[in-house]
Amino acid sequence: MKKSKIAVLTAVVAAGLVYTAGAQDATLDADFGAEKTPVSKNLFGIFYEDINYAADGGLYGEMVQNRSFEFRESKRNPLDAWETVNLNGEKPKSRPKAANSNPLNKNNTVYAKIDVKQVGDGIANKGYGGMYFEAGKKYPGSVYLRSTDSSVTSVTIAAGDYKKKGAKQFTTKISGITTEWKKYEFTIEPVETTEDGQLGVYADQEGTIDIDFVSLFMADIYRNEPNGLRKDLAEMLEAMHPRFIRFPGGCIVHGMNIADRYQWKRTVGPVEERKETFNFWNYQQSYGIGFYEYFRLCEDIGAEPIPVLSVGMAHSGERDSMGNMKNYIQDALDLIEWATGPATSTWGKIRAEAGHPEPFKLTYLGIGNEDCGDDYFPRYKQIAEAVKAKYPNIKTIISSGFTYNDVNFHNAWKNVRRWEKDKKTANLVDLVDEHYYNAATWFLGNGNRYDDTTFYPRDKAKVFIGEYAAWDDGRRNSLYAALTEAAYMTSIERNGDIIEIASYAPLFAREGYVQWFPDAIWFNNHEVYGTPNYYVQQMFMTHKSDSTVKSVLTQPKTSVKKNSIGGTVGLGTWATTAQFRDVIVTNNDTNKVVYDSNKTKDLTDFREETGSWKRSGKSIVQSSQDANVRMILDNEDEIQGIENYTLQLKAQKTGGAEGFLIMFGVKGRSLYWWNMGGWGNTQSCVEKGTADGRTIIGDSQPLSLDAGRWYNIKIEVKGESFKCSLDGKVMHEFVDTMNFDPLYAHVGETDSSVIVKIVNVSGNDQSVTVNLKGAPALASNATVTYMNGSPDDENSFRVPKQVAPKTETISGVGESFTYTARANSVNIIEVKKQ
């Protein structure tokens, strides 16, 4: 039997930094006499997308899953999440079916029909892994019912634990059922607290009963608003004090295909008339949280709304006809009227009828999400021109793609600069939306990104960092990742005159229903906790300066331990079928071939993670068109400990939408992969992270793979560097190492305070002498908000605040004072002006 089959070629430790501090202290010298630069009043906010079940099953207060039996759009059974049951514990004799004759309305066309063969038969719903009921609380519910032949005149609504034998059920009756659809309201008052609750609707007579839109809301709803939000999750957002909320996405804006893009008009009006759809993240959206609820939440927590609209470009590469752009233009204009128009206007009336006659505040509009390519710019331009013509005060936001430094990113900025030079188009772009999910160390090495006034002139279009987060070698939300984000945020605030708004992403993750991590807030049916990343965001939001004071940070002497890429290799595809042959791994130190696919007849040396793999002669064939297909070389006994190696192979695309994933540096869940033909068979780049989430490192090149053609692929790994060659041409070359400082800082000012932020990413306490030259008269005491711990610390449901901010008061503060920043810490020192 083989050894553990995860770490091969791993003579070095996983990526990370080890600092050894010298005796020298650090100094932070701020000059209040120098010219200050403004910090955007809206700088730090949040991004909300319905990913990881953030809406249905999450922030939305509804407890019933598939309440309107519309799951057909996701190719699931309309009765999914429902089961046939009997109130009395008997074996059910009736079988519900999905029906659509004379439905509730044109958007909610499917309902459950039961031909009741036994009194007490019905259907029950466990919500999302079991409903949480708390004894003594009241849960408001409703259901639409009819009996077309008048045979069933009443039903019993019951709720309680479905796992515990003999559990007490709360029951209530609904009577007076007619032949026409009618809404009936009820209240559940559980007699026992349980995490395994279900809600059931049971017929009291034999006959026929139609059931639709079965709803049960949580007992605790934020601000007790109708069709409301889960209180504890909404309060987590309120406690952050964000200055804006970007919504509804994210990838759900453009959808996988045009048909399932987000259409805001489907999400307003009576909730039972909102047309559900299948979302990009592979589950159903009820639109119970729609644009009305988004805007209402923004208003409740004092945040600016930043809606993002589709331009008719889908993730799959599908493009709506340019002839249909008039529809997307009208959607944008109608949205602005819906949000800001008078109650007498066409769309303002719909907002008023929902309960908000006064206009909402609206300053920003995102036009497209991560859209890119030459066909995006004319789409953006048409919508922006129409918006500016009618609503010149709305700030329009253009996408720069999905990463920080590829062809699409630079093309977007080139177009923006070209438009800025022409008087006719100079006002088309107010902000450019940049996204990047990068390795934690990237955030330490790129703090000077926005200091480049040549690329980012202060008097031109501003930056919106719409999505960013640090990956930390497969860990979900470590303190170390949060600290690197905090270090980077000091540079965001320092450049708060060019970066107008910035938001971490994603916001929510439901335990057991996760498509992406890291995430700021984790929750289950009745618990919630903030991650270290959440608390970093909260600390910066609640201690933002109004202006930046020029400062210089002198670092202590440090040494850095570097780490090699090492790892094993693997083969993969994305939405593509392919075959591989002549797969050879060579130890470059000894010139010994340590793996040769031509010397084996099977795949026992590989760990098949996803996809459909087999040997066919000398070829390794992958026949699944699923996304993210992988197989890892697992021959540990042969190649463990090699740091310098070459992977060579031939690969042929046989079908599908994209291309190859050639992996190297695989260590546990961490990996590098050469993504060839990614993003709709348009690009080549190397990504680093995990199979679940990665970031591009180095450059990106155009690449389209031809089906049926054999490609010669070569990857050379040497220590901390790699070189990727295709058919003898070098495509990517990168040294994956940087020297990082242990300390990062920002000095800012408000009307009432001086705010000093110090982030220490080292494992040692660091003494910092703070000199506030020319500062106004200050109090002698200061309040310090800090957070520290071990780099790998993470919060959990068991220990929700293992890492959380603390406060202390320090004395002896003046124009010059010394502060000791704890190891692995973020520190915010606020000194009141006298």
Side-chain angles (χ1 to χ4, degrees), residues 215-462:
S215 175
L216 185 68
F217 268 76
M218 295 176 176
D220 297 320
I221 293 297
Y222 182 64
R223 301 200 178 196
N224 295 314
E225 292 177 332
N227 194 48
L229 308 180
R230 178 171 157 176
K231 183 179 180 182
D232 57 347
L233 299 191
E235 288 179 342
M236 290 287 285
L237 304 184
E238 185 177 65
M240 295 177 81
H241 298 283
R243 294 308 304 266
F244 68 85
I245 304 179
R246 174 180 180 250
F247 59 85
C251 288
I252 67 169
V253 168
H254 49 64
M256 183 59 71
N257 302 294
I258 294 295
D260 56 36
R261 72 191 187 279
Y262 196 99
Q263 300 180 59
W264 74 267
K265 290 177 180 177
R266 291 182 172 185
T267 77
V268 297
V271 67
E272 66 273 13
E273 296 179 12
R274 300 179 184 179
K275 186 175 176 60
E276 296 189 6
T277 191
F278 191 53
N279 84 2
F280 180 90
W281 299 107
N282 209 34
Y283 61 88
Q284 192 87 351
Q285 284 181 281
S286 74
Y287 292 131
I289 294 183
F291 263 42
Y292 179 76
E293 288 73 27
Y294 284 129
F295 274 80
R296 193 177 67 193
L297 174 63
C298 290
E299 191 173 67
D300 285 344
I301 67 176
E304 292 255 8
I306 304 183
V308 185
L309 299 182
S310 168
V311 299
M313 299 174 64
H315 185 81
S316 65
E318 183 184 4
R319 302 292 185 257
D320 205 347
S321 167
M322 289 298 292
N324 290 332
M325 280 306 298
K326 60 182 181 296
N327 299 325
Y328 297 92
I329 293 169
Q330 197 61 49
D331 276 351
L333 297 178
D334 290 346
L335 168 62
I336 299 169
E337 180 180 288
W338 174 86
T340 66
T344 55
S345 64
T346 301
W347 284 97
K349 181 181 178 182
I350 294 174
R351 180 200 69 238
E353 289 173 347
H356 202 285
E358 303 81 11
F360 287 113
K361 184 177 182 180
L362 181 61
T363 304
Y364 300 96
L365 180 67
I367 302 174
N369 170 73
E370 294 188 354
D371 293 317
C372 50
D374 290 340
D375 50 352
Y376 168 57
F377 303 121
R379 293 168 185 268
Y380 173 90
K381 184 172 180 286
Q382 287 188 34
I383 296 174
E385 284 176 336
V387 169
K388 291 294 187 179
K390 191 170 183 179
Y391 301 101
N393 293 326
I394 294 292
K395 293 187 176 183
T396 49
I397 304 171
I398 194 171
S399 166
S400 67
F402 44 82
T403 191
Y404 68 98
N405 187 32
D406 71 343
V407 173
N408 294 315
F409 171 85
H410 288 284
N411 283 344
W413 275 105
K414 286 177 182 177
N415 269 275
V416 171
R417 298 302 183 220
R418 177 169 56 85
W419 286 340
E420 288 174 337
K421 293 177 181 179
D422 187 334
K423 289 183 178 180
K424 295 180 180 179
T425 56
N427 70 335
L428 287 187
V429 178
D430 293 288
L431 296 98
V432 180
D433 188 5
E434 299 187 356
H435 294 184
Y436 33 85
Y437 297 92
N438 293 339
T441 51
W442 183 93
F443 289 89
L444 299 182
N446 285 275
N448 61 349
R449 175 180 175 86
Y450 298 102
D451 296 335
D452 183 356
T453 56
T454 301
F455 193 88
Y456 294 107
R458 269 42 186 166
D459 60 344
K460 302 296 183 182
K462 304 301 182 183

Side-chain angles (χ1 to χ4, degrees), residues 174-185:
I174 290 176
S175 58
I177 298 171
T178 69
T179 59
E180 300 296 328
W181 286 114
K182 182 180 177 182
K183 181 179 181 180
Y184 300 87
E185 297 182 344

Side-chain angles (χ1 to χ4, degrees), residues 714-769:
K714 183 179 181 180
I715 300 175
E716 300 168 88
V717 176
K718 184 176 182 180
E720 296 161 327
S721 69
F722 60 79
K723 182 190 296 184
C724 300
S725 303
L726 179 63
D727 292 336
K729 177 185 176 182
V730 176
M731 295 284 289
H732 307 286
E733 196 167 6
F734 192 74
V735 179
D736 192 18
T737 184
M738 291 177 282
N739 293 326
F740 307 106
D741 294 325
L743 296 175
Y744 302 80
H746 177 263
V747 179
E749 189 177 21
T750 68
D751 288 341
S752 59
S753 303
V754 170
I755 301 172
V756 179
K757 297 181 175 75
I758 300 173
V759 181
N760 179 9
V761 299
S762 78
N764 306 98
D765 292 353
Q766 297 282 0
S767 181
V768 183
T769 298

Side-chain angles (χ1 to χ4, degrees), residues 19-90:
Y19 288 97
T20 304
Q24 178 188 4
D25 291 343
T27 57
L28 177 61
D29 295 303
D31 185 359
F32 283 78
E35 182 180 359
K36 301 178 179 68
T37 55
V39 175
S40 168
K41 66 183 180 66
N42 292 327
L43 183 57
F44 296 118
I46 56 179
F47 164 52
Y48 180 93
E49 180 177 13
D50 193 357
I51 181 176
N52 307 323
Y53 284 72
D56 294 315
L59 183 62
Y60 189 35
E62 176 65 75
M63 299 173 69
V64 179
Q65 183 177 186
N66 190 21
R67 64 184 176 184
S68 57
F69 307 98
E70 298 295 320
F71 268 23
R72 71 195 188 285
E73 290 198 15
S74 61
K75 300 179 182 179
R76 292 173 61 182
N77 188 319
L79 297 176
D80 275 358
W82 293 92
E83 62 177 328
T84 308
V85 289
N86 181 273
L87 178 62
N88 305 312
E90 305 289 340

Side-chain angles (χ1 to χ4, degrees), residues 173-219:
K173 292 279 188 181
I174 290 176
S175 58
I177 298 171
T178 69
T179 59
E180 300 296 328
W181 286 114
K182 182 180 177 182
K183 181 179 181 180
Y184 300 87
E185 297 182 344
F186 57 87
T187 300
I188 297 297
E189 299 182 45
V191 293
E192 292 183 337
T193 296
T194 179
E195 298 179 18
D196 300 313
Q198 70 176 9
L199 176 73
V201 182
Y202 308 89
D204 292 342
Q205 299 89 26
E206 294 181 6
T208 301
I209 183 74
D210 296 339
I211 306 171
D212 204 357
F213 214 79
V214 186
S215 175
L216 185 68
F217 268 76
M218 295 176 176

Side-chain angles (χ1 to χ4, degrees), residues 12 32 34 76 108 116 144 155 190 218 243 250 297 300 310 322 360 392 396 449 512 515 559 609 658 676 697 822:
V12 295
F32 283 78
R76 292 173 61 182
N108 183 359
V116 184
Y144 282 82
V155 298
M218 295 176 176
R243 294 308 304 266
L297 174 63
D300 285 344
S310 168
M322 289 298 292
F360 287 113
T396 49
R449 175 180 175 86
Q515 294 85 44
S559 61
E609 296 192 339
E658 297 204 356
M676 307 175 66
I697 60 173
R822 298 166 175 84

